[in-house]
Amino acid sequence: GVCGCCGALRPRYKRLVDNIFPEDPEDGLVKTNMEKLTFYALAVGGWGLLLRWVLRTQRATSNWRYVCIAMEALDQLLMACHCQSINLFVESFLKMVAKLLESEKPNLQILGTNSFVKFANIEEDTPSYHRSYDFFVSRFSEMCHSSHDDLDIRTKIRMSGIKGLQGVVRKTVNDELQANIWDPQHMDKIVPSLLFNLQHVEEAESRSPSPLQATEKEKESPTELAERCLRELLGRAAYGNIKNAIKPVLMFFPSHWGPWKCSLAPMLMFMLSFQPQHSHLVIQQLLGHLDANSKSAATVRAGIVEVLSEAAVIAASGSVGPTVLEVFNTLLRQLRLSIDYALTGSYDCVAGVSTKIIKEHEERMFQEAVIKTIGSFASTLPTYQQSEVMVFIMNKVPLPSLQQSIEAGKAGENRNRLTQIMLLKSLLQVSVGFQCSNMLTALPSVFLDRLLSAALMEDAEIRLFVLEILISFIDRHGNRQKFSTINTISDISVLKLKVDKCSRQDTVFMKKHGQQLYRHIYLICKEESNVQAHYEALYSMLMLISIELANEEVVVDLIRLVLPVQEIAQINEDNLTAYNRCALFALGAAYLNLISQLTTVPTFCQHIHEVIQMRQKEAPYLLPEDVFVERPRLSKSLDRLGPEVFFWQSKISEVLGGSGYNSDRLSTPYIPQLTDEDRLSKRKSIGETISLQVEVESRNSPEREQRAPAEEITYETLKKAIVDSVAVEEQERERRRQVVEKFQKAPFEEIAAHCGARATLLQSKLNQIFEITIRPPPSPSGTITAAYGQPQNHSIPVYEMKFPDLCVY
């Protein structure tokens, strides 16, 4: 102790420590003495020196300049220390840094942060089990939210906090034996602190020096530093840690920035920071968050969906995940909930229960965002998954068929209509980005049947969506926009159409589904609620079929289809308006004008051109140039038109038949085949549809003269059939009860006798049938004489025998 009072007798390490401090703190660290201290620490050991440094620093805290000198010396000592011996004095070093961070002086906080960052950059070979970084995570996170009055000081403190968090991440993220930085208790502090600075824009940027004078560090802002730190953090995230990193992000955005639209850019940056193979986990977390906020405001839900839409593009580089249909199921469920909210005005689906006010325009905005997101997700999928998604969406559309019940009542009808429109909009979004060369794959029967069923709905908007969806499928070469307007162009070459030869698969598709498409086009043309958009879609569909799927047989069928459409407007059995009739005339003229130029048959082109010229002189209101305009010019004297303004089937059959086309088929009028699907259309009742079927069937039958006239089915007939069927069911039920009772109570001998008699009767009937089959009665023309003059019965095969109609199943 006595020796310690004399400077010359003090231990050498104390003298070396004292010598690095100058008399005047302005002079800074004495570098020569610092080199001697470093050499001594490496040769002898630095753990004893650390205690001296701690005591010296505590005494020097009254003057922050001495603290800076002490930290600078300690930093140099740390950088020079070997990795094996650094654990000997790290604990004391961290205590000293913690004391500096607890200081209220910003300079000491920044000094302690810089020292910790230098320590974090040192790679250690020996793990440490007793270190704890909880204090540093909390303190650095608090510094990231600094609200100091001085703007420059506030910026420096926040940047120091971000650097400190970056140092903690680097020190702990790769060491499994130290504190797990991915625990929720740490991530709930780190991620929100970085996100807070990510969106924060400093006002001091306008006062900063010019870029020519500023250094790189001076140019850096808390936003840029926070972004770099967040990317580094998320880039190191493993599969099992992603959920803990995403959850604080989802909880942070609405509470700090309000509308989700403000968080779109940071969220996309957040998505890009993950490894590509983990992107689908983020999407799953967003979907779960959307379900959790299903009763939140529409603006919040729309923001989540908008982020999902942009995230789909990012996830396309990796993987959307194995549960693709789950994504679309969640989005469609949210779409249905939004429709219920808009109709009921309540988030509880019961009017008047919820206290929240629902705005319809906000719900519509959310619905449009969901539809956009469905399209974005579908565009990232391969072709086969897109087909599955479209079938999945179409199966969700409520249709008035036997297989799917719909809600009754006015509220149910409104809900069904909105659901149908929104789902068809979603389907249109998917089909726009769908590219498939094989129409059999693009439009499977299970999908096409339901889609065309919707084409017979009474709602005009639904029919238009169906046409647009079909057009998007058929248009595989981008010709759709060239037919956006209907006109009678004289030279088709100016359109620069992209035409390929019809493939074998397309030929098979048209053989299988062609008549079904023609029939629905014909029935849609008869709708009175059609507007200009419907006729433009019909025109585009006819032309695209002629370009994409047409062979000689299809061209003939399309011409046969358009001529009855002209007849619809001419005869007007459905009491169409003058505009609808003129529009059908104009539609037929525009299509025949282009198809005649595609067939390149001069006589056919000449006939079409002559009729168009005659209409221009006598009836311009039958051409698209006067009908499909803002103010169409119509005529009420459509019943007094001359034959020269019509396209005649006999003339077209004659001119095309001379060029090799099937004239017999061209001369046969097109009659659509009516099916049970017509019940979806509200133009006719069920009884009228069945009567029409019977009438058409009897008209087309070669034996219609021999058949009895079809019974007229009326309301009384149906009522009687229902009553009779009920009585028959009661009698059948009573007979079954008696049979069961007989077998339960009758003696065995009686049952055996009854069954034996039944078996004998059955055997006799079978013998009669076999006799008729083997030896049929002689033919009506009498016996046939064999070659040797002996009479011989002519045996008729069973499959050629005629049975009564009621016996044929």
Side-chain angles (χ1 to χ4, degrees), residues 511-673:
K511 285 180 180 282
K512 185 177 182 181
H513 301 291
Q515 296 301 323
Q516 193 178 10
L517 289 174
Y518 305 150
R519 173 177 168 273
H520 284 81
I521 292 175
Y522 179 83
L523 293 177
I524 292 175
C525 289
K526 300 179 70 173
E527 290 289 346
E528 186 178 358
S529 57
N530 289 339
V531 295
Q532 180 175 343
H534 292 83
Y535 297 112
E536 291 175 349
L538 287 168
Y539 174 69
S540 298
M541 187 171 179
L542 288 171
M543 288 308 306
L544 289 172
I545 293 176
S546 304
I547 294 173
E548 298 282 351
L549 307 173
N551 50 27
E552 181 178 327
E553 183 179 350
V554 173
V555 170
V556 171
D557 287 340
L558 289 173
I559 295 174
R560 292 178 59 238
L561 172 64
V562 173
L563 293 175
V565 170
Q566 176 187 249
E567 187 178 350
I568 293 174
Q570 183 180 0
I571 300 176
N572 196 22
E573 293 180 349
D574 299 300
N575 296 323
L576 299 176
T577 63
Y579 174 79
N580 295 127
R581 298 177 68 184
C582 292
L584 291 178
F585 281 122
L587 174 64
Y591 175 73
L592 290 175
N593 174 61
L594 288 186
I595 196 64
S596 63
Q597 299 182 51
L598 286 175
T599 55
T600 64
V601 178
T603 54
F604 184 31
C605 295
Q606 182 181 357
H607 170 66
I608 301 300
H609 185 62
E610 289 175 355
V611 176
I612 291 176
Q613 283 186 335
M614 187 58 64
R615 288 188 179 186
Q616 290 174 348
K617 295 178 182 179
E618 303 294 336
Y621 45 84
L622 302 183
L623 294 176
E625 286 78 8
D626 284 6
V627 177
F628 301 114
V629 291
E630 185 176 356
R631 294 182 178 179
R633 295 193 303 170
L634 307 176
S635 175
K636 296 182 180 180
S637 60
L638 297 176
D639 297 328
R640 295 191 296 270
L641 295 173
E644 65 276 0
V645 297
F646 296 118
F647 302 98
W648 293 101
Q649 188 169 6
S650 58
K651 180 65 175 179
I652 294 176
S653 175
E654 178 184 351
V655 296
L656 288 180
S659 300
Y661 287 86
N662 190 345
S663 58
D664 294 337
R665 190 171 180 83
L666 279 168
S667 59
T668 304
Y670 173 76
I671 300 176
Q673 182 181 1

Side-chain angles (χ1 to χ4, degrees), residues 17-31:
V17 169
D18 293 337
N19 292 338
I20 66 173
F21 287 95
E23 294 182 1
D24 187 1
E26 296 291 340
D27 295 337
L29 183 67
V30 180
K31 295 183 179 180

Side-chain angles (χ1 to χ4, degrees), residues 21 32 61 88 91 93 164 234 286 288 296 367 416 457 548 622 685 710 712 764:
F21 287 95
T32 56
T61 52
L88 299 177
E91 192 68 25
F93 165 77
L234 301 179
L286 286 172
S296 299
Q367 293 163 10
N416 290 328
M457 300 292 291
E548 298 282 351
L622 302 183
S685 66
E712 182 181 1
S764 63

Side-chain angles (χ1 to χ4, degrees), residues 27 44 57 71-72 159 162 167 210 261 280 317 321 323 408 416 444 475 485-486 496 504 556 573 590 611 758:
D27 295 337
V44 178
T57 305
M71 295 305 300
E72 181 181 358
M159 291 187 67
I162 298 171
S210 63
K261 208 163 188 178
H280 67 279
S317 59
T323 56
N416 290 328
D475 183 22
T485 57
I486 309 178
K496 298 180 180 180
R504 188 179 66 86
V556 171
E573 293 180 349
V611 176
R758 292 287 300 273

Side-chain angles (χ1 to χ4, degrees), residues 29-147:
L29 183 67
V30 180
K31 295 183 179 180
T32 56
N33 294 335
M34 184 62 208
E35 293 176 356
K36 296 178 182 179
L37 179 62
T38 303
F39 178 78
Y40 178 85
L42 292 175
V44 178
W47 64 272
L49 297 176
L50 181 59
L51 299 177
R52 179 63 175 172
W53 279 118
V54 173
L55 297 174
R56 184 68 181 182
T57 305
Q58 290 176 349
R59 289 198 301 269
T61 52
S62 58
N63 190 336
W64 70 272
R65 296 185 183 274
Y66 280 110
V67 177
C68 293
I69 295 174
M71 295 305 300
E72 181 181 358
L74 187 55
D75 292 341
Q76 293 186 21
L77 188 62
L78 279 173
M79 299 304 295
C81 182
H82 295 295
C83 296
Q84 293 82 359
S85 58
I86 195 172
N87 278 333
L88 299 177
F89 57 94
V90 164
E91 192 68 25
S92 299
F93 165 77
L94 293 178
K95 289 182 179 179
M96 184 174 59
V97 172
K99 186 173 183 179
L100 293 177
L101 294 175
E102 289 176 343
S103 174
E104 296 181 357
K105 297 179 180 180
N107 292 333
L108 295 181
Q109 296 176 15
I110 297 172
L111 182 64
T113 303
N114 293 336
S115 182
F116 181 84
V117 170
K118 292 178 181 179
F119 160 72
N121 291 329
I122 299 176
E123 296 183 2
E124 300 183 54
D125 296 334
T126 306
S128 176
Y129 304 97
H130 59 279
R131 294 183 198 170
S132 176
Y133 296 96
D134 295 354
F135 167 79
F136 295 99
V137 172
S138 301
R139 183 55 184 158
F140 289 140
S141 299
E142 185 180 349
M143 292 171 64
C144 290
H145 293 82
S146 174
S147 58

Side-chain angles (χ1 to χ4, degrees), residues 310-604:
E310 300 295 336
V313 181
I314 301 173
S317 59
S319 171
V320 180
T323 56
V324 176
L325 294 182
E326 182 182 352
V327 175
F328 293 94
N329 191 32
T330 301
L331 294 174
L332 294 179
R333 182 171 63 251
Q334 293 297 325
L335 192 62
R336 184 63 182 263
L337 287 175
S338 177
I339 294 173
D340 292 337
Y341 295 158
L343 290 175
T344 60
S346 169
Y347 288 116
D348 298 324
C349 298
V350 179
V353 173
S354 178
T355 58
K356 297 182 180 179
I357 300 176
I358 296 178
K359 300 178 181 179
E360 290 189 9
H361 71 277
E362 292 182 354
E363 291 296 335
R364 285 195 298 269
M365 176 188 66
F366 169 72
Q367 293 163 10
E368 294 296 332
V370 172
I371 293 172
K372 175 187 174 184
T373 304
I374 290 175
S376 299
F377 268 100
S379 63
T380 64
L381 300 176
T383 303
Y384 75 94
Q385 283 189 332
Q386 287 182 346
S387 300
E388 293 177 359
V389 168
M390 288 186 290
V391 174
F392 179 76
I393 295 176
M394 195 65 222
N395 288 335
K396 295 284 186 179
V397 179
L399 296 175
S401 60
L402 298 176
Q403 292 80 12
Q404 185 174 3
S405 61
I406 60 175
E407 299 182 35
K410 186 175 181 180
E413 291 179 0
N414 293 335
R415 183 176 290 105
N416 290 328
R417 180 183 179 276
L418 289 176
T419 304
Q420 291 164 353
I421 291 176
M422 291 303 167
L423 291 179
L424 289 175
K425 274 187 178 182
S426 305
L427 190 59
L428 180 60
Q429 284 286 334
V430 179
S431 62
V432 167
F434 182 74
Q435 294 293 332
C436 183
S437 58
N438 189 349
M439 291 299 297
L440 286 172
T441 305
L443 292 172
S445 300
V446 64
F447 173 79
L448 185 61
D449 292 344
R450 291 186 61 84
L451 182 62
L452 292 179
S453 296
L456 296 180
M457 300 292 291
E458 189 180 35
D459 192 278
E461 189 175 2
I462 293 177
R463 295 198 307 272
L464 184 58
F465 277 125
V466 173
L467 290 174
E468 292 293 340
I469 292 169
L470 289 172
I471 288 171
S472 63
F473 279 114
I474 299 173
D475 183 22
R476 293 170 292 182
H477 294 87
N479 294 315
R480 167 70 171 91
Q481 296 301 323
K482 299 171 184 177
F483 305 117
S484 57
T485 57
I486 309 178
N487 52 26
T488 54
I489 187 171
S490 59
D491 186 8
I492 197 175
S493 61
V494 299
L495 297 178
K496 298 180 180 180
L497 299 175
K498 298 179 182 178
V499 183
D500 288 339
K501 185 178 180 180
C502 183
S503 63
R504 188 179 66 86
Q505 293 86 353
D506 293 342
T507 302
V508 174
F509 173 80
M510 291 306 295
K511 285 180 180 282
K512 185 177 182 181
H513 301 291
Q515 296 301 323
Q516 193 178 10
L517 289 174
Y518 305 150
R519 173 177 168 273
H520 284 81
I521 292 175
Y522 179 83
L523 293 177
I524 292 175
C525 289
K526 300 179 70 173
E527 290 289 346
E528 186 178 358
S529 57
N530 289 339
V531 295
Q532 180 175 343
H534 292 83
Y535 297 112
E536 291 175 349
L538 287 168
Y539 174 69
S540 298
M541 187 171 179
L542 288 171
M543 288 308 306
L544 289 172
I545 293 176
S546 304
I547 294 173
E548 298 282 351
L549 307 173
N551 50 27
E552 181 178 327
E553 183 179 350
V554 173
V555 170
V556 171
D557 287 340
L558 289 173
I559 295 174
R560 292 178 59 238
L561 172 64
V562 173
L563 293 175
V565 170
Q566 176 187 249
E567 187 178 350
I568 293 174
Q570 183 180 0
I571 300 176
N572 196 22
E573 293 180 349
D574 299 300
N575 296 323
L576 299 176
T577 63
Y579 174 79
N580 295 127
R581 298 177 68 184
C582 292
L584 291 178
F585 281 122
L587 174 64
Y591 175 73
L592 290 175
N593 174 61
L594 288 186
I595 196 64
S596 63
Q597 299 182 51
L598 286 175
T599 55
T600 64
V601 178
T603 54
F604 184 31

